[in-house]
Amino acid sequence: MTTTRSQHLTRGHFSTARLYALCGLFLLLAVAAFLVAARFGEQPISLTAAFSDPTSTDATIFWSLRLPRALLGALVGAGLAASGSTLQGLLRNPLADPFVLGVSGGAALGATLALAVGLGTVGELAPGVHESVAQLSAPSLFAFLGAGAAVAVVLAGGRAHGSRAPYAALLTGVVFNSFASAAITLVKTLTNPDRLAEILYWLAGTLGYERPAVLGLAAALQVGTLAVMVALSGRLNLLSLGDDDAAALGVPVASTRRWLLVAASASVAGAVALTGLIGFVGLIVPHLLRLAFGPDQRLLIPLSALGGAAFLTLADLLARLAFPLFGTEPPVGVITAILGGPLFLLLLHRRQRQGAA
């Protein structure tokens, strides 16, 4: 039985040609979404003018606003979706998402504390540091540190329970999220209304306009963590058979699980630190792709990264286009929730009907 299941996961419909073909198709989709998001928005622009006249308003909007924001959306969407696929396979739970391990709670608590005391930049916290460091966002730094602390707690919880590590990590993450939620509520009740508005806006999830240096760091983090997840995707397939069966097939279970947890959590931490809490990307995108292409993580992880980049980029475009309707720009986290919630319920209902048939 084990051999049959492993053959299905490791051979099944997978081939290098199919992997390249699907990745090429999804790459085109992501590039198309990126170009549409950079071209359109509340203020229409001409790409011809943006490229031909560097002094034009179109060029300023394109290079200074649209392009960095679309890049950030693509990076965050790729990281959240690829992490979602990895964690769903690692925890053997199709309802797991990038925030289930407590990373979101830790990041939210860190950013909330920074915003509550009025910290804007790292320079306000540590005067005298290099100018490039001083300009970094203090809430983002605190969010990353909070997410890192959450990952450390989850890893410690997993190590303490040996063969039950996936379930122990999951429960530790859930408990940590509850603790962080309670702490955030306490901080919000003690914060003045002006700073409370900033906290609520950050928690809703928003794409900002990051500097090229920050985007470079974010890209390096997401590419590095994605490379780890893709490199271990074959082992992740075998882990879904159970620890004993995976070990019998030659998988170093503990080290594989640890590397995948660290990579997925670091990817989510980097994303949340820059944008706040953007839900459903890591849940919906892998689910849709699993229905379309099967459970093989060697396909799911790279396709989820490209699909997540396209999804979040287009969701942010919708948020910008909604400005005339609401008189303000809704957070992109609200858009992903509005799109993702009903879609997830539809997928759940469809799966239940298939199970009952």
Side-chain angles (χ1 to χ4, degrees):
M1 178 66 75
T2 300
T3 304
T4 303
R5 292 176 65 194
S6 65
Q7 285 174 341
H8 171 70
L9 285 168
T10 57
R11 297 173 187 171
H13 300 290
F14 179 84
S15 69
T16 305
R18 186 167 186 248
L19 172 65
Y20 287 157
L22 287 174
C23 285
L25 179 65
F26 274 72
L27 179 60
L28 289 176
L29 174 66
V31 170
F34 180 83
L35 293 176
V36 169
R39 166 67 177 80
F40 297 99
E42 181 193 357
Q43 176 68 39
I45 64 171
S46 166
L47 290 181
T48 303
F51 282 96
S52 61
D53 183 4
T55 62
S56 66
T57 302
D58 292 336
T60 301
I61 293 175
F62 179 78
W63 294 108
S64 301
L65 301 178
R66 298 273 175 82
L67 193 61
R69 185 159 171 166
L71 279 172
L72 180 61
L75 289 170
V76 171
L80 291 177
S83 299
S85 180
T86 299
L87 292 173
Q88 286 163 18
L90 194 61
L91 300 175
R92 302 165 200 161
N93 186 338
L95 298 181
D97 76 355
F99 299 150
V100 74
L101 287 179
V103 179
S104 63
L109 180 57
T112 298
L113 290 173
L115 290 168
V117 299
L119 285 175
T121 64
V122 173
E124 297 174 16
L125 180 67
V129 299
H130 192 275
E131 185 179 356
S132 59
V133 178
Q135 293 177 355
L136 292 176
S137 166
S140 294
L141 176 63
F142 274 64
F144 193 83
L145 294 176
V151 173
V153 170
V154 168
L155 287 176
R159 277 199 300 269
H161 290 79
S163 61
R164 293 181 295 168
Y167 310 105
L170 182 62
L171 288 174
T172 305
V174 170
V175 171
F176 189 89
N177 263 336
S178 298
F179 162 77
S181 178
I184 289 169
T185 301
L186 175 63
V187 172
K188 286 193 293 188
T189 59
L190 301 174
T191 304
N192 70 56
D194 291 339
R195 290 178 180 172
L196 180 60
E198 290 184 52
I199 293 172
L200 294 177
Y201 196 72
W202 189 93
L203 292 176
T206 306
L207 294 180
Y209 302 98
E210 298 293 345
R211 293 178 296 123
V214 175
L215 289 175
L217 287 174
L221 176 64
Q222 296 302 340
V223 169
T225 53
L226 180 60
V228 174
M229 289 185 269
V230 170
L232 297 178
S233 57
R235 293 182 183 179
L236 182 56
N237 280 340
L238 298 178
L239 283 178
S240 69
L241 304 174
D243 288 0
D244 292 339
D245 291 336
L249 292 169
V251 176
V253 174
S255 63
T256 300
R257 180 183 293 121
R258 183 167 57 250
W259 275 108
L260 286 169
L261 273 176
V262 170
S265 300
S267 175
V268 175
V272 174
L274 293 177
T275 63
L277 307 182
I278 299 177
F280 285 97
V281 179
L283 190 61
I284 292 299
V285 175
H287 257 293
L288 287 172
L289 294 174
R290 188 178 294 106
L291 286 174
F293 303 110
D296 195 326
Q297 294 287 351
R298 292 172 298 177
L299 283 174
L300 278 182
I301 291 176
L303 296 185
S304 294
L306 294 168
F311 177 76
L312 189 56
T313 304
L314 292 177
D316 184 56
L317 174 62
L318 284 178
R320 283 184 276 130
L321 292 176
F323 186 92
L325 181 63
F326 298 105
T328 186
E329 183 180 301
V332 70
V334 174
I335 301 297
T336 59
I338 290 174
L339 294 175
L343 183 58
F344 181 74
L345 291 177
L346 182 63
L347 292 174
L348 197 61
H349 179 65
R350 179 181 172 183
R351 175 158 293 190
Q352 288 175 337
R353 289 185 59 186
Q354 289 175 339

